[in-house]
Amino acid sequence: MKPRRRITLSRRIIQLACLILLVYGGYLFKGRLAGQEANVGEPPGTGGSLFPDLKAPKGAMSTTQFAPGSILWPSGATPVLENYPPTLVCRFNPKGGLFKACIVHFFSENFTWQTHLKYLLPHLTLFVLLCFLLGRFWCGWVCPIGSLGDLLSWLRRRMNVPVRRFPAGFRNALVFSSYGLLGATLGISTFIGLPNYSRFQCYWFLPYCQICPARLVCPVFGLIKPGWKDFTNGVSATFTLLAWLVLGLFVAAFYWGRRVWCHLCPVGLVNSWFNRGAGLELHKKAVKCNKCGYCADACPMGLTAMYEADTDRKYNQNGCIMCLRCLEVCPKDGCLSCRFFGRRVLESRY
Amino acid sequence: MKKHQDQGGLKPEYASILDGFYRGLAPSGLSPDYRAETEVYRRRSRLASAGRLYESLMSASGVAAGPRVGYFCNLVPEELIRACGAVPVRLCELDHACARLGEEVLPGDACPMIKSICGSAAAGRYRDLDLLVIPAACDGKAKLSELLAPVRPVYLLDLPRSSEYLRNADAWTGRYQDFFDFLKERFRSRAGRSELTAECRRANLRTQLFRRLYHFRAGHPGLINHFDYFTLVSLSFRLEPEAWLDLAGEILAEAVGRAEGLKFDGRRILLAGSPIIFPAYKVLDILYEFNCEAVADSLCSGYGHLYDPVEIDEETETGIIRALALKYLAASLCPCFMGLNKLLDLLVDTTAEYRLDGVIYHDLRLCQVFDMQTVAIRQVLKEKRIPFLSIKTDLGREDTGQLKTRIEAFLEMLG
Amino acid sequence: MAIAGLDIGSVATKCVVVDDGRIIGAALVRTGTDTEKAATRALADALQQARLERAVLEKIVSTGYGRRQCGLADRVITEISAAGAGAFRMNGRRPGLVVDIGGQDTKVIEINGEGSVSDFLMNDKCAAGTGRFLELMAQVLETDMEGFSQLARSAEAPRRLNATCSVFAESEVVSLIAHGESKTNIAAGLFEAVASRVAAMLRQFQEQPVFFCGGGARSPALRLALERLAGRPVQVLDPPQFVVAFGAAMLPDGV
Ligand code: SF4
């Protein structure tokens, strides 16, 4: 359509690359990074890591206590790197996966393990550093689940189905719920980590992961046996049903509305806290704006602040996934710009 | 599918009565002859290729064949009309003779453009069109949808009159979608998104070239003078995009080739306000006389008509129609669409960007909405230290002396 | 060296001969239909008063409505720049707003500290609110401008007029007289009508000293009405009709 679809094009390429890397990267780097072949049956915690000290304490619930093939450890394989990038890579896909899991997994797991802060710090520092550099960039450019969702949106567009635009109130409600989700996850994780309640760990371990759409999707990509129908007991059956429900929501959200899901995702939520202070900034020169609304229309997260903005300043919002679509579609030269630590790197140009 | 009716029409009985009246007004028709004006402006141009430009004003080449849809204002998406295989012709005109005839239908204190259009219609100049599309921009235009109904079938494009995207984007999309459905039915077209995409692409090519030309003029004033510029835009009202690209491309190429070492010692101003359409170049004539170039503008017959592109975000049919609504309505500077913020922003930004000497506000007498915002613009620009002159005029040439005094004094004021 | 400033207005043509910043000769003639003739006569009269020969004039600067129709001039400027320059010179080099009520139009000109025009406003095409309007109304009241002003000053309660256009105003005045309204009140109302238009123009600018010139400034009633309606003191420049011609003569050597 236009001479400058370059941002989206690069984003698609990066998304695809990340999808491959995060889901299959393990096959590429296994051995080289970890110094060992993947051993089926070997518990996590023995893979390579930048920070090898993070291990499940003795007696605590850990993946080891699941039989290979069970719902919480379906691959039974070790990830190459036991690290947690700020975006969604999944424990349900460690066979060829490059990393262990996402940041929400990191929190849930370690809250249950009651891991000492000094072991968490290196991981946290890395996470916070990355987030401060790029904000919620991960959601828009890296997250494989988001990329799959974008694929769904693309499919919808091909089928000439108009996008549904949800009112801001609805999106706010989703964000609100994502706080609830994260809170519940961390609450349950902490609770089952208490000495007296460790008996709940078998079924309540990693509560969010058990309903995350990735639980059902990732195994498919990881070419491992999916834990699609775990109805062992009431709890796990509920989790499985919830997971299916959430997956339905996920598909619906991505199909009818673009990235509506991302408002609910707790991983995105954690990332979003870093947006306002991130090195990657979006600026607007308000006097150049002709209020055409293209930026608001194109925003997959449905944000309208860029359109509404009437003063020249930075407009990093929590919801922004740094896809830079607004900057790309803005037809007024120099109206929107993207800066990295104050340096102009991109600006809107027709 | 909904059955679409011609909106804004008159009952056949009333229409034929009114039609009889019109036919009596100008029994022999009215065909203004602009050959003399064309010649004057051709001679004023500094470009050889302008010969072809002014020739096209008089000829019908470059206009596609097919059913012709006349429309007013740049709030009507040409792309939709083209996609249905019809030929859009923007009929906005400012012709003194037609306006005088129009005064026999309308009160004398109606807007000159409305009078001019009504006169043209009464004189039978629109009878070879297949459809008239009239957006309810101002009250005058809305009323025309009834007064022109005897002449040709009319489609009234009724639009919410605020350019606030957040509130109105859905409503606009709906209205445009209705309009598209109507066109498809009327012209038996099965146009869908591939046709729409193709038309948007054609329109965007035109916008791209226009933008280059626009920026070039600011940097090299006088080479493509404001007569050439406004004539070019007037031509885009009816030329096929390709024919227009050909013409404008030639002019730009010649100008770029001669830009080297060119000096301009006059004044460069931004022209805002009511539209200027060939041959109503009175204000431009005066500016020219005082060696002042209108290098930028905010007119709906200039910048407003060609500067904004269609930015397709969702390549679904609805998505494209929505993108068109944003191009034509959200970005509109039309005072009927409450675009004062945007207009002020544009004036402040453009004068700063191109370092212009000032802003002249062309206020066509009797067009209320333009007139009403003058004071606001004046006060804001004054605060921003941008020299501002508002000139109130109409289609007649009697006030040339007074306008000259104002403009000359303004230029003297600039030093 | 003397310079002549010629202000060829729609009603009167004014000429001043200026030497060393002082007016040494001034003349006013009716413009009539032949601008050239009026200009020549005004120039001759002014020269005669100054006791100078035409040949010793350094240059002639024309301004005003007919500025380009006059072949005598060496230089042409608009009456707006001229009024600004003239007023600045006459008011002791103070910035402010110059109100010029002439025959055909009314202007408000803003002059800055350097004496140059920084903004101006003019009335529209129509004659309401100009000197011509007042002249017409004086005729309707069967008096001359002086008598008109006198009438207005003895009014008790100025009668507001509704019509804004001179033609309608005339019939309104006639019907008011027929209904027994006193001429004094009508006269005062007419001055208020003009003054309120000017006051509205003044309000478009920031609060500054106001200087009054042009034919309209000769009428004290108008000045008083303007002072009242604008709510600020208005200083009449003397002689008011020659401010523009004087400014034209002063402009070439810088303000
Ligand atoms: S796309 Fe650009 S010009 Fe349009 S509303 Fe957004 S910021 Fe303004």
Side-chain angles (χ1 to χ4, degrees), chain B residues 103-236:
Chain B
E103 277 183 20
E104 308 203 7
V105 184
L106 301 170
D109 50 2
C111 154
M113 179 176 281
I114 303 288
K115 284 192 289 195
S116 179
I117 290 169
C118 204
S120 273
R125 291 176 69 196
Y126 298 160
R127 289 195 198 272
D128 57 340
L129 297 166
D130 292 86
L131 176 72
L132 292 173
V133 182
I134 306 182
C138 59
D139 297 345
K141 288 271 162 60
K143 188 43 84 180
L144 274 186
S145 71
E146 285 172 353
L147 295 184
L148 300 195
V151 178
R152 290 314 299 155
V154 168
Y155 184 89
L156 173 68
L157 190 56
D158 195 7
L159 302 160
R161 265 170 28 175
S162 143
S163 62
E164 173 59 38
Y165 152 82
L166 288 178
R167 191 170 346 126
N168 282 335
D170 292 335
W172 293 329
T173 314
R175 299 288 160 89
Y176 272 14
Q177 181 75 57
D178 286 350
F179 177 47
F180 188 47
D181 293 343
F182 169 82
L183 287 172
K184 280 198 291 193
E185 195 175 291
R186 170 140 206 133
F187 298 112
R188 298 185 201 300
S189 155
R190 303 183 52 172
R193 57 180 168 156
S194 58
E195 286 80 4
L196 285 175
T197 317
E199 291 308 333
C200 292
R201 191 171 293 138
R202 284 172 85 194
N204 277 357
L205 284 176
R206 200 172 62 179
T207 289
Q208 277 160 26
L209 184 68
F210 176 79
R211 284 195 174 204
R212 275 173 49 214
L213 193 129
Y214 193 80
H215 295 308
F216 175 83
R217 287 190 69 237
H220 305 87
L223 199 44
I224 304 177
N225 66 24
H226 46 229
F227 304 110
D228 296 349
Y229 168 78
F230 281 108
T231 308
L232 257 180
V233 182
S234 301
L235 274 170
S236 75

Side-chain angles (χ1 to χ4, degrees), chain C residues 169-230:
Chain C
E170 179 169 346
S171 49
E172 195 177 347
V173 168
V174 170
S175 81
L176 281 175
I177 294 176
H179 280 89
E181 180 65 83
S182 77
K183 278 192 183 182
T184 53
N185 285 349
I186 298 175
L190 286 165
F191 278 112
E192 291 222 326
V194 173
S196 72
R197 286 166 166 266
V198 181
M201 283 162 85
L202 280 173
R203 275 190 288 268
Q204 298 269 319
F205 298 88
Q206 272 162 4
E207 183 95 35
Q208 296 170 61
V210 180
F211 308 104
F212 195 7
C213 67
R218 280 187 307 159
S219 155
L222 185 53
R223 198 203 80 204
L224 288 176
L226 186 55
E227 275 190 339
R228 199 172 58 251
L229 288 168

Side-chain angles (χ1 to χ4, degrees), chain B residues 379 382 406 408 412-413, chain C residues 67-68 78 81 123 204:
Chain B
Q379 293 301 330
K382 189 157 185 168
R406 284 168 170 73
E408 199 179 355
E412 279 172 3
M413 183 181 105
Chain C
R67 63 191 180 284
R68 287 188 192 274
T78 62
S81 307
N123 70 316
Q204 298 269 319

Side-chain angles (χ1 to χ4, degrees), chain B residues 40-65:
Chain B
V40 169
Y41 297 124
R42 193 189 58 72
R43 262 186 278 118
R44 281 190 189 168
S45 175
R46 299 170 70 170
L47 302 170
S49 38
R52 232 185 98 206
L53 173 70
Y54 289 100
E55 253 161 50
S56 346
L57 265 181
M58 299 284 104
S59 79
S61 66
V63 183

Side-chain angles (χ1 to χ4, degrees), chain A residues 284 289-295 306-307 330-332 335-336:
Chain A
K284 174 166 177 181
C289 172
N290 67 7
K291 294 279 171 188
C292 59
Y294 279 130
C295 52
M306 271 302 174
Y307 159 80
C330 177
K332 294 285 280 179
C335 179
L336 300 184

